[in-house]
Amino acid sequence: MNALLEFSSLPQIGFAHHFYAENHSSIYGKKEKSFEVVYVKSGRITGELYGQCFVAEQGSIFILFRHLPIRILSSGAHCTVQLSMEYTFDLLEEGCPVPEEFPGIVVPFVIPPCSDNEVIKKDLYAIVSQMGISRKTNQMGASLCAMGVLEKINRLGRSNLSGAQQSGSILSYRVKKYIASHMDREVSLAELAAEMDKTPNYLNAVFKETNGITLHQYMSREKVRIIAELMENKGLPFKTACENVAVTDVSYGYRLFKKHTGLTPGEYLSGGRYQREGFGKSALTEVWENGIIRSSK
């Protein structure tokens, strides 16, 4: 889903800050002429708008319009800037072309992780820094910086709407989302390639270049992450946790777990924990929302 924002005034910064929110759920009512640009530093944001669900993973840019009925659930650290300005707002259907001569800014509600997001993040941090010193003195500078942020978002939005070729990071993002939503069964490289409309060799090469590991290595690592979470948070036995991610051979699951964590399941539960460095909780674990949880018999 995309939106068209035609603005007619210089942005005023309502607030600009870093914050940490855990299990924070809210419904935003009608608050005209104000929206937020959020960089997801860690964790993720999930939400719902007009029955459509969306996820902003770590490294994503999330646009929140205050006067839309958006329900969000967030966890992790974010950098947020609220902009107040005169503008008109229209929702566009996904994939709807926007004529170049049409004024305004095309805003995706979620921009997946990409190199451009890192540039936007630095701009948001600059706004936070300027506003933290003196609001009155730095309002103009922060507003001009915000205009630069909007221009970058506009460019990204138009690129997406025009059907430009996806970057490796966006393709990788789509692959990870698909894997996360089908973690309860085996997903082959051929299936992934067909879903992404790419050849298996090309998809694997792009994914490895973007992430530093092959698709097979990534899927194995994600299975181990979820197994660890199911044991840690749901108290499931190792065998049952393995079954939830389609690992039916317990011996294989044991070797896989030891390979990725450096610990046996027993050692992990007694002191390893998934929060230790190098093995953080997966931001793509969506088995809870999808109901793919089998109880221990």
Side-chain angles (χ1 to χ4, degrees):
M1 182 178 294
N2 294 276
L4 183 70
L5 180 67
E6 184 180 352
F7 54 89
S8 57
S9 67
L10 192 67
Q12 298 293 306
I13 312 301
F15 61 81
H17 66 274
H18 299 274
F19 71 95
Y20 180 86
E22 185 172 1
N23 296 326
H24 174 68
S25 180
S26 61
I27 299 179
Y28 289 85
K30 189 174 182 180
K31 296 184 178 180
E32 295 289 352
K33 309 305 181 186
S34 175
F35 63 95
E36 298 172 32
V37 181
V38 181
Y39 174 80
V40 185
K41 184 178 180 181
S42 64
R44 66 175 179 173
I45 295 176
T46 59
E48 181 180 350
L49 172 63
Y50 296 126
Q52 288 193 338
C53 296
F54 58 85
V55 179
E57 300 289 357
Q58 179 176 322
S60 299
I61 298 292
F62 171 54
I63 313 297
L64 172 62
F65 288 87
R66 301 288 292 188
H67 61 282
L68 290 181
I70 302 176
R71 182 179 186 279
I72 65 170
L73 177 66
S74 63
S75 64
H78 311 115
C79 178
T80 306
V81 169
Q82 182 184 26
L83 304 176
S84 301
M85 58 194 298
E86 288 299 318
Y87 63 86
T88 56
F89 176 89
D90 292 298
L91 288 175
L92 299 176
E93 292 183 1
E94 184 174 0
C96 176
V98 179
E100 281 299 319
E101 66 272 16
F102 198 99
I105 177 170
V106 181
V107 183
F109 286 101
V110 177
I111 304 176
C114 60
S115 58
D116 295 275
N117 285 2
E118 294 303 307
V119 177
I120 295 175
K121 176 190 70 173
K122 292 180 181 178
D123 290 340
L124 295 180
Y125 283 6
I127 294 173
V128 171
S129 177
Q130 287 178 323
M131 295 304 294
I133 299 173
S134 172
R135 292 186 180 276
K136 291 184 178 180
T137 303
N138 293 280
Q139 179 65 246
M140 180 61 72
S143 295
L144 292 175
C145 188
M147 291 293 285
V149 170
L150 296 180
E151 188 280 327
K152 293 182 177 69
I153 293 174
N154 178 47
R155 176 169 49 80
L156 287 172
R158 287 190 180 277
S159 176
N160 290 339
L161 285 177
S162 65
Q165 185 176 10
Q166 291 178 320
S167 67
S169 60
I170 296 178
L171 179 60
S172 174
Y173 174 83
R174 289 183 58 211
V175 168
K176 290 178 180 180
K177 288 286 295 176
Y178 188 85
I179 292 173
S181 61
H182 297 83
M183 194 60 72
D184 61 325
R185 62 176 178 81
E186 289 294 333
V187 176
S188 67
L189 177 57
E191 176 185 343
L192 278 170
E195 184 69 24
M196 303 299 148
D197 195 26
K198 307 293 181 184
T199 65
N201 288 340
Y202 175 82
L203 184 64
N204 196 51
V206 170
F207 189 90
K208 184 175 182 180
E209 181 179 356
T210 305
N211 299 275
I213 57 176
T214 66
L215 275 164
H216 177 73
Q217 292 170 330
Y218 174 80
M219 287 188 281
S220 296
R221 190 185 70 184
E222 287 302 292
K223 285 181 183 292
V224 171
R225 289 184 188 275
I226 295 175
I227 290 171
E229 290 183 34
L230 292 176
M231 292 192 302
E232 178 91 25
N233 298 330
K234 292 293 183 178
L236 297 187
F238 180 72
K239 180 177 182 297
T240 307
C242 286
E243 291 172 351
N244 272 274
V245 292
V247 177
T248 56
D249 187 335
V250 179
S251 297
Y252 170 72
Y254 186 93
R255 294 193 300 272
L256 197 66
F257 195 92
K258 182 70 178 291
K259 176 182 177 180
H260 285 278
T261 67
L263 302 168
T264 67
E267 291 171 340
Y268 173 85
L269 288 176
S270 64
R273 306 291 185 179
Y274 64 75
Q275 296 290 359
R276 70 184 178 84
E277 184 178 358
F279 196 69
K281 181 178 178 181
S282 171
L284 290 164
T285 302
E286 297 181 342
V287 290
W288 316 110
E289 291 84 353
N290 295 332
I292 312 169
I293 298 294
R294 303 182 183 91
S295 300
S296 174
K297 296 182 179 179

mmCIF file of all heavy atoms in Angstrom, residues 173-212:
data_model
loop_
_atom_site.group_PDB
_atom_site.id
_atom_site.type_symbol
_atom_site.label_atom_id
_atom_site.label_comp_id
_atom_site.label_asym_id
_atom_site.label_seq_id
_atom_site.Cartn_x
_atom_site.Cartn_y
_atom_site.Cartn_z
ATOM 1 N N TYR A 173 14.747 -9.420 1.435
ATOM 2 C CA TYR A 173 13.680 -9.177 2.411
ATOM 3 C C TYR A 173 12.453 -10.035 2.086
ATOM 4 O O TYR A 173 11.857 -10.654 2.969
ATOM 5 C CB TYR A 173 13.332 -7.694 2.388
ATOM 6 C CG TYR A 173 12.147 -7.290 3.248
ATOM 7 C CD1 TYR A 173 12.306 -7.062 4.604
ATOM 8 C CD2 TYR A 173 10.888 -7.112 2.677
ATOM 9 C CE1 TYR A 173 11.230 -6.671 5.388
ATOM 10 C CE2 TYR A 173 9.809 -6.728 3.449
ATOM 11 C CZ TYR A 173 9.982 -6.507 4.804
ATOM 12 O OH TYR A 173 8.904 -6.129 5.566
ATOM 13 N N ARG A 174 12.071 -10.089 0.802
ATOM 14 C CA ARG A 174 10.913 -10.896 0.394
ATOM 15 C C ARG A 174 11.158 -12.376 0.652
ATOM 16 O O ARG A 174 10.262 -13.101 1.091
ATOM 17 C CB ARG A 174 10.628 -10.675 -1.090
ATOM 18 C CG ARG A 174 10.060 -9.300 -1.437
ATOM 19 C CD ARG A 174 9.754 -9.221 -2.914
ATOM 20 N NE ARG A 174 8.807 -10.265 -3.300
ATOM 21 C CZ ARG A 174 8.782 -10.847 -4.504
ATOM 22 N NH1 ARG A 174 9.673 -10.508 -5.420
ATOM 23 N NH2 ARG A 174 7.892 -11.773 -4.777
ATOM 24 N N VAL A 175 12.379 -12.830 0.395
ATOM 25 C CA VAL A 175 12.728 -14.232 0.630
ATOM 26 C C VAL A 175 12.605 -14.572 2.112
ATOM 27 O O VAL A 175 12.033 -15.599 2.491
ATOM 28 C CB VAL A 175 14.161 -14.519 0.134
ATOM 29 C CG1 VAL A 175 14.638 -15.877 0.631
ATOM 30 C CG2 VAL A 175 14.214 -14.469 -1.387
ATOM 31 N N LYS A 176 13.139 -13.704 2.963
ATOM 32 C CA LYS A 176 13.085 -13.950 4.404
ATOM 33 C C LYS A 176 11.647 -13.973 4.910
ATOM 34 O O LYS A 176 11.289 -14.777 5.778
ATOM 35 C CB LYS A 176 13.888 -12.877 5.146
ATOM 36 C CG LYS A 176 15.387 -12.979 4.930
ATOM 37 C CD LYS A 176 16.125 -11.863 5.645
ATOM 38 C CE LYS A 176 17.623 -11.956 5.435
ATOM 39 N NZ LYS A 176 18.348 -10.867 6.127
ATOM 40 N N LYS A 177 10.814 -13.092 4.379
ATOM 41 C CA LYS A 177 9.409 -13.079 4.771
ATOM 42 C C LYS A 177 8.718 -14.378 4.387
ATOM 43 O O LYS A 177 7.928 -14.930 5.154
ATOM 44 C CB LYS A 177 8.704 -11.894 4.104
ATOM 45 C CG LYS A 177 9.070 -10.553 4.675
ATOM 46 C CD LYS A 177 8.413 -10.334 6.028
ATOM 47 C CE LYS A 177 6.909 -10.272 5.905
ATOM 48 N NZ LYS A 177 6.255 -10.164 7.244
ATOM 49 N N TYR A 178 9.004 -14.877 3.190
ATOM 50 C CA TYR A 178 8.387 -16.115 2.730
ATOM 51 C C TYR A 178 8.842 -17.294 3.588
ATOM 52 O O TYR A 178 8.027 -18.132 3.995
ATOM 53 C CB TYR A 178 8.743 -16.366 1.262
ATOM 54 C CG TYR A 178 7.996 -17.530 0.653
ATOM 55 C CD1 TYR A 178 6.727 -17.350 0.126
ATOM 56 C CD2 TYR A 178 8.562 -18.807 0.618
ATOM 57 C CE1 TYR A 178 6.032 -18.416 -0.430
ATOM 58 C CE2 TYR A 178 7.877 -19.869 0.072
ATOM 59 C CZ TYR A 178 6.603 -19.673 -0.451
ATOM 60 O OH TYR A 178 5.912 -20.743 -0.980
ATOM 61 N N ILE A 179 10.126 -17.343 3.875
ATOM 62 C CA ILE A 179 10.653 -18.422 4.716
ATOM 63 C C ILE A 179 10.018 -18.386 6.100
ATOM 64 O O ILE A 179 9.621 -19.412 6.647
ATOM 65 C CB ILE A 179 12.188 -18.316 4.818
ATOM 66 C CG1 ILE A 179 12.831 -18.628 3.469
ATOM 67 C CG2 ILE A 179 12.726 -19.260 5.903
ATOM 68 C CD1 ILE A 179 14.326 -18.374 3.429
ATOM 69 N N ALA A 180 9.894 -17.185 6.668
ATOM 70 C CA ALA A 180 9.335 -17.045 8.011
ATOM 71 C C ALA A 180 7.889 -17.524 8.086
ATOM 72 O O ALA A 180 7.468 -18.105 9.084
ATOM 73 C CB ALA A 180 9.416 -15.584 8.463
ATOM 74 N N SER A 181 7.120 -17.298 7.030
ATOM 75 C CA SER A 181 5.710 -17.668 7.045
ATOM 76 C C SER A 181 5.472 -19.130 6.660
ATOM 77 O O SER A 181 4.336 -19.613 6.727
ATOM 78 C CB SER A 181 4.910 -16.760 6.106
ATOM 79 O OG SER A 181 5.372 -16.876 4.772
ATOM 80 N N HIS A 182 6.540 -19.850 6.279
ATOM 81 C CA HIS A 182 6.411 -21.262 5.923
ATOM 82 C C HIS A 182 7.418 -22.106 6.703
ATOM 83 O O HIS A 182 7.875 -23.145 6.221
ATOM 84 C CB HIS A 182 6.623 -21.464 4.419
ATOM 85 C CG HIS A 182 5.591 -20.781 3.570
ATOM 86 N ND1 HIS A 182 5.674 -19.443 3.226
ATOM 87 C CD2 HIS A 182 4.449 -21.246 3.018
ATOM 88 C CE1 HIS A 182 4.628 -19.119 2.485
ATOM 89 N NE2 HIS A 182 3.870 -20.178 2.340
ATOM 90 N N MET A 183 7.746 -21.672 7.900
ATOM 91 C CA MET A 183 8.761 -22.349 8.688
ATOM 92 C C MET A 183 8.297 -23.708 9.218
ATOM 93 O O MET A 183 9.098 -24.515 9.668
ATOM 94 C CB MET A 183 9.200 -21.450 9.856
ATOM 95 C CG MET A 183 10.479 -21.894 10.559
ATOM 96 S SD MET A 183 11.918 -21.944 9.472
ATOM 97 C CE MET A 183 12.233 -20.199 9.239
ATOM 98 N N ASP A 184 6.995 -23.988 9.139
ATOM 99 C CA ASP A 184 6.472 -25.250 9.664
ATOM 100 C C ASP A 184 6.631 -26.408 8.687
ATOM 101 O O ASP A 184 6.215 -27.526 8.962
ATOM 102 C CB ASP A 184 5.000 -25.101 10.034
ATOM 103 C CG ASP A 184 4.133 -24.739 8.840
ATOM 104 O OD1 ASP A 184 4.626 -23.993 7.966
ATOM 105 O OD2 ASP A 184 2.978 -25.194 8.786
ATOM 106 N N ARG A 185 7.235 -26.135 7.528
ATOM 107 C CA ARG A 185 7.476 -27.205 6.552
ATOM 108 C C ARG A 185 8.771 -26.919 5.807
ATOM 109 O O ARG A 185 9.339 -25.831 5.908
ATOM 110 C CB ARG A 185 6.318 -27.304 5.565
ATOM 111 C CG ARG A 185 6.095 -26.051 4.706
ATOM 112 C CD ARG A 185 4.993 -26.285 3.703
ATOM 113 N NE ARG A 185 4.708 -25.114 2.884
ATOM 114 C CZ ARG A 185 5.413 -24.754 1.821
ATOM 115 N NH1 ARG A 185 6.495 -25.449 1.459
ATOM 116 N NH2 ARG A 185 5.065 -23.679 1.119
ATOM 117 N N GLU A 186 9.233 -27.908 5.062
ATOM 118 C CA GLU A 186 10.453 -27.733 4.287
ATOM 119 C C GLU A 186 10.174 -26.840 3.079
ATOM 120 O O GLU A 186 9.191 -27.039 2.364
ATOM 121 C CB GLU A 186 10.986 -29.089 3.816
ATOM 122 C CG GLU A 186 11.569 -29.943 4.933
ATOM 123 C CD GLU A 186 12.820 -29.326 5.531
ATOM 124 O OE1 GLU A 186 13.526 -28.560 4.830
ATOM 125 O OE2 GLU A 186 13.088 -29.594 6.712
ATOM 126 N N VAL A 187 11.030 -25.870 2.866
ATOM 127 C CA VAL A 187 10.930 -24.986 1.709
ATOM 128 C C VAL A 187 12.169 -25.189 0.859
ATOM 129 O O VAL A 187 13.294 -25.000 1.326
ATOM 130 C CB VAL A 187 10.823 -23.508 2.138
ATOM 131 C CG1 VAL A 187 10.813 -22.605 0.917
ATOM 132 C CG2 VAL A 187 9.576 -23.282 2.975
ATOM 133 N N SER A 188 11.970 -25.580 -0.384
ATOM 134 C CA SER A 188 13.098 -25.857 -1.267
ATOM 135 C C SER A 188 13.554 -24.589 -1.992
ATOM 136 O O SER A 188 12.809 -23.605 -2.099
ATOM 137 C CB SER A 188 12.715 -26.917 -2.302
ATOM 138 O OG SER A 188 11.730 -26.416 -3.189
ATOM 139 N N LEU A 189 14.768 -24.632 -2.499
ATOM 140 C CA LEU A 189 15.292 -23.513 -3.269
ATOM 141 C C LEU A 189 14.470 -23.309 -4.540
ATOM 142 O O LEU A 189 14.208 -22.172 -4.948
ATOM 143 C CB LEU A 189 16.762 -23.764 -3.626
ATOM 144 C CG LEU A 189 17.455 -22.708 -4.491
ATOM 145 C CD1 LEU A 189 17.390 -21.338 -3.843
ATOM 146 C CD2 LEU A 189 18.900 -23.110 -4.767
ATOM 147 N N ALA A 190 14.021 -24.418 -5.133
ATOM 148 C CA ALA A 190 13.207 -24.329 -6.348
ATOM 149 C C ALA A 190 11.887 -23.619 -6.071
ATOM 150 O O ALA A 190 11.419 -22.800 -6.873
ATOM 151 C CB ALA A 190 12.946 -25.730 -6.900
ATOM 152 N N GLU A 191 11.278 -23.914 -4.910
ATOM 153 C CA GLU A 191 10.018 -23.262 -4.536
ATOM 154 C C GLU A 191 10.229 -21.761 -4.330
ATOM 155 O O GLU A 191 9.434 -20.942 -4.796
ATOM 156 C CB GLU A 191 9.468 -23.895 -3.264
ATOM 157 C CG GLU A 191 8.203 -23.221 -2.748
ATOM 158 C CD GLU A 191 7.731 -23.779 -1.419
ATOM 159 O OE1 GLU A 191 8.172 -24.892 -1.048
ATOM 160 O OE2 GLU A 191 6.925 -23.109 -0.745
ATOM 161 N N LEU A 192 11.300 -21.407 -3.630
ATOM 162 C CA LEU A 192 11.602 -19.998 -3.394
ATOM 163 C C LEU A 192 11.834 -19.253 -4.710
ATOM 164 O O LEU A 192 11.332 -18.154 -4.910
ATOM 165 C CB LEU A 192 12.840 -19.868 -2.507
ATOM 166 C CG LEU A 192 12.654 -19.998 -1.003
ATOM 167 C CD1 LEU A 192 14.013 -20.090 -0.324
ATOM 168 C CD2 LEU A 192 11.853 -18.834 -0.454
ATOM 169 N N ALA A 193 12.590 -19.890 -5.596
ATOM 170 C CA ALA A 193 12.901 -19.259 -6.873
ATOM 171 C C ALA A 193 11.632 -19.029 -7.690
ATOM 172 O O ALA A 193 11.457 -17.970 -8.304
ATOM 173 C CB ALA A 193 13.886 -20.121 -7.655
ATOM 174 N N ALA A 194 10.737 -20.013 -7.688
ATOM 175 C CA ALA A 194 9.491 -19.873 -8.428
ATOM 176 C C ALA A 194 8.627 -18.771 -7.838
ATOM 177 O O ALA A 194 8.005 -17.984 -8.564
ATOM 178 C CB ALA A 194 8.733 -21.203 -8.420
ATOM 179 N N GLU A 195 8.604 -18.669 -6.498
ATOM 180 C CA GLU A 195 7.808 -17.653 -5.822
ATOM 181 C C GLU A 195 8.333 -16.254 -6.125
ATOM 182 O O GLU A 195 7.550 -15.294 -6.244
ATOM 183 C CB GLU A 195 7.831 -17.906 -4.310
ATOM 184 C CG GLU A 195 6.958 -16.977 -3.500
ATOM 185 C CD GLU A 195 5.476 -17.201 -3.727
ATOM 186 O OE1 GLU A 195 5.099 -18.328 -4.132
ATOM 187 O OE2 GLU A 195 4.697 -16.257 -3.510
ATOM 188 N N MET A 196 9.653 -16.116 -6.255
ATOM 189 C CA MET A 196 10.275 -14.812 -6.514
ATOM 190 C C MET A 196 10.453 -14.539 -8.001
ATOM 191 O O MET A 196 10.966 -13.485 -8.384
ATOM 192 C CB MET A 196 11.646 -14.733 -5.818
ATOM 193 C CG MET A 196 11.598 -14.975 -4.327
ATOM 194 S SD MET A 196 10.593 -13.765 -3.462
ATOM 195 C CE MET A 196 9.959 -14.786 -2.104
ATOM 196 N N ASP A 197 10.057 -15.518 -8.835
ATOM 197 C CA ASP A 197 10.178 -15.394 -10.283
ATOM 198 C C ASP A 197 11.635 -15.198 -10.694
ATOM 199 O O ASP A 197 11.959 -14.356 -11.551
ATOM 200 C CB ASP A 197 9.311 -14.239 -10.800
ATOM 201 C CG ASP A 197 9.105 -14.282 -12.314
ATOM 202 O OD1 ASP A 197 9.185 -15.388 -12.866
ATOM 203 O OD2 ASP A 197 8.876 -13.232 -12.920
ATOM 204 N N LYS A 198 12.514 -15.985 -10.078
ATOM 205 C CA LYS A 198 13.942 -15.962 -10.405
ATOM 206 C C LYS A 198 14.418 -17.389 -10.612
ATOM 207 O O LYS A 198 13.740 -18.355 -10.241
ATOM 208 C CB LYS A 198 14.760 -15.327 -9.269
ATOM 209 C CG LYS A 198 14.288 -13.953 -8.822
ATOM 210 C CD LYS A 198 14.489 -12.897 -9.881
ATOM 211 C CE LYS A 198 14.019 -11.524 -9.387
ATOM 212 N NZ LYS A 198 14.128 -10.490 -10.446
ATOM 213 N N THR A 199 15.600 -17.543 -11.189
ATOM 214 C CA THR A 199 16.192 -18.870 -11.283
ATOM 215 C C THR A 199 16.829 -19.223 -9.941
ATOM 216 O O THR A 199 17.273 -18.321 -9.211
ATOM 217 C CB THR A 199 17.264 -18.942 -12.389
ATOM 218 O OG1 THR A 199 18.362 -18.087 -12.028
ATOM 219 C CG2 THR A 199 16.684 -18.511 -13.728
ATOM 220 N N PRO A 200 16.894 -20.509 -9.584
ATOM 221 C CA PRO A 200 17.492 -20.897 -8.290
ATOM 222 C C PRO A 200 18.915 -20.385 -8.116
ATOM 223 O O PRO A 200 19.273 -19.879 -7.043
ATOM 224 C CB PRO A 200 17.448 -22.429 -8.330
ATOM 225 C CG PRO A 200 16.281 -22.743 -9.214
ATOM 226 C CD PRO A 200 16.307 -21.672 -10.274
ATOM 227 N N ASN A 201 19.751 -20.512 -9.152
ATOM 228 C CA ASN A 201 21.145 -20.069 -9.037
ATOM 229 C C ASN A 201 21.239 -18.566 -8.819
ATOM 230 O O ASN A 201 22.039 -18.090 -7.999
ATOM 231 C CB ASN A 201 21.931 -20.474 -10.284
ATOM 232 C CG ASN A 201 22.191 -21.969 -10.359
ATOM 233 O OD1 ASN A 201 22.128 -22.662 -9.341
ATOM 234 N ND2 ASN A 201 22.464 -22.470 -11.550
ATOM 235 N N TYR A 202 20.435 -17.808 -9.559
ATOM 236 C CA TYR A 202 20.461 -16.358 -9.406
ATOM 237 C C TYR A 202 20.002 -15.943 -8.018
ATOM 238 O O TYR A 202 20.629 -15.103 -7.364
ATOM 239 C CB TYR A 202 19.560 -15.704 -10.460
ATOM 240 C CG TYR A 202 19.431 -14.203 -10.294
ATOM 241 C CD1 TYR A 202 20.403 -13.333 -10.780
ATOM 242 C CD2 TYR A 202 18.323 -13.656 -9.634
ATOM 243 C CE1 TYR A 202 20.294 -11.959 -10.617
ATOM 244 C CE2 TYR A 202 18.203 -12.283 -9.464
ATOM 245 C CZ TYR A 202 19.188 -11.442 -9.954
ATOM 246 O OH TYR A 202 19.077 -10.085 -9.780
ATOM 247 N N LEU A 203 18.897 -16.539 -7.556
ATOM 248 C CA LEU A 203 18.360 -16.183 -6.244
ATOM 249 C C LEU A 203 19.362 -16.484 -5.142
ATOM 250 O O LEU A 203 19.584 -15.662 -4.250
ATOM 251 C CB LEU A 203 17.060 -16.951 -5.992
ATOM 252 C CG LEU A 203 16.328 -16.623 -4.692
ATOM 253 C CD1 LEU A 203 15.865 -15.172 -4.694
ATOM 254 C CD2 LEU A 203 15.133 -17.554 -4.503
ATOM 255 N N ASN A 204 19.977 -17.650 -5.198
ATOM 256 C CA ASN A 204 20.945 -18.018 -4.168
ATOM 257 C C ASN A 204 22.161 -17.104 -4.202
ATOM 258 O O ASN A 204 22.689 -16.715 -3.155
ATOM 259 C CB ASN A 204 21.372 -19.473 -4.348
ATOM 260 C CG ASN A 204 22.063 -20.035 -3.126
ATOM 261 O OD1 ASN A 204 21.558 -19.944 -2.006
ATOM 262 N ND2 ASN A 204 23.232 -20.615 -3.327
ATOM 263 N N ALA A 205 22.601 -16.727 -5.423
ATOM 264 C CA ALA A 205 23.774 -15.857 -5.548
ATOM 265 C C ALA A 205 23.491 -14.462 -4.994
ATOM 266 O O ALA A 205 24.321 -13.894 -4.271
ATOM 267 C CB ALA A 205 24.185 -15.764 -7.020
ATOM 268 N N VAL A 206 22.310 -13.907 -5.309
ATOM 269 C CA VAL A 206 21.949 -12.578 -4.807
ATOM 270 C C VAL A 206 21.802 -12.604 -3.293
ATOM 271 O O VAL A 206 22.253 -11.700 -2.592
ATOM 272 C CB VAL A 206 20.640 -12.090 -5.465
ATOM 273 C CG1 VAL A 206 20.135 -10.818 -4.775
ATOM 274 C CG2 VAL A 206 20.859 -11.829 -6.944
ATOM 275 N N PHE A 207 21.167 -13.658 -2.776
ATOM 276 C CA PHE A 207 20.966 -13.760 -1.327
ATOM 277 C C PHE A 207 22.317 -13.855 -0.604
ATOM 278 O O PHE A 207 22.523 -13.195 0.417
ATOM 279 C CB PHE A 207 20.108 -14.981 -0.995
ATOM 280 C CG PHE A 207 19.679 -15.053 0.439
ATOM 281 C CD1 PHE A 207 18.491 -14.456 0.850
ATOM 282 C CD2 PHE A 207 20.460 -15.694 1.396
ATOM 283 C CE1 PHE A 207 18.092 -14.502 2.174
ATOM 284 C CE2 PHE A 207 20.074 -15.745 2.723
ATOM 285 C CZ PHE A 207 18.880 -15.147 3.111
ATOM 286 N N LYS A 208 23.228 -14.654 -1.143
ATOM 287 C CA LYS A 208 24.536 -14.801 -0.503
ATOM 288 C C LYS A 208 25.322 -13.503 -0.551
ATOM 289 O O LYS A 208 25.993 -13.132 0.423
ATOM 290 C CB LYS A 208 25.336 -15.919 -1.168
ATOM 291 C CG LYS A 208 26.665 -16.188 -0.473
ATOM 292 C CD LYS A 208 27.390 -17.374 -1.076
ATOM 293 C CE LYS A 208 28.691 -17.633 -0.333
ATOM 294 N NZ LYS A 208 29.428 -18.783 -0.899
ATOM 295 N N GLU A 209 25.241 -12.799 -1.671
ATOM 296 C CA GLU A 209 25.950 -11.526 -1.792
ATOM 297 C C GLU A 209 25.412 -10.497 -0.798
ATOM 298 O O GLU A 209 26.158 -9.712 -0.229
ATOM 299 C CB GLU A 209 25.808 -10.985 -3.210
ATOM 300 C CG GLU A 209 26.550 -9.667 -3.438
ATOM 301 C CD GLU A 209 26.408 -9.164 -4.862
ATOM 302 O OE1 GLU A 209 25.802 -9.884 -5.689
ATOM 303 O OE2 GLU A 209 26.892 -8.060 -5.152
ATOM 304 N N THR A 210 24.093 -10.530 -0.560
ATOM 305 C CA THR A 210 23.460 -9.562 0.337
ATOM 306 C C THR A 210 23.658 -9.920 1.802
ATOM 307 O O THR A 210 23.848 -9.045 2.646
ATOM 308 C CB THR A 210 21.952 -9.469 0.043
ATOM 309 O OG1 THR A 210 21.763 -9.154 -1.338
ATOM 310 C CG2 THR A 210 21.287 -8.405 0.902
ATOM 311 N N ASN A 211 23.617 -11.222 2.125
ATOM 312 C CA ASN A 211 23.617 -11.657 3.528
ATOM 313 C C ASN A 211 24.889 -12.358 3.981
ATOM 314 O O ASN A 211 25.069 -12.576 5.181
ATOM 315 C CB ASN A 211 22.422 -12.576 3.779
ATOM 316 C CG ASN A 211 21.097 -11.889 3.524
ATOM 317 O OD1 ASN A 211 20.562 -11.214 4.389
ATOM 318 N ND2 ASN A 211 20.551 -12.075 2.321
ATOM 319 N N GLY A 212 25.735 -12.746 3.035
ATOM 320 C CA GLY A 212 26.984 -13.400 3.413
ATOM 321 C C GLY A 212 26.861 -14.887 3.649
ATOM 322 O O GLY A 212 27.859 -15.548 3.959
#
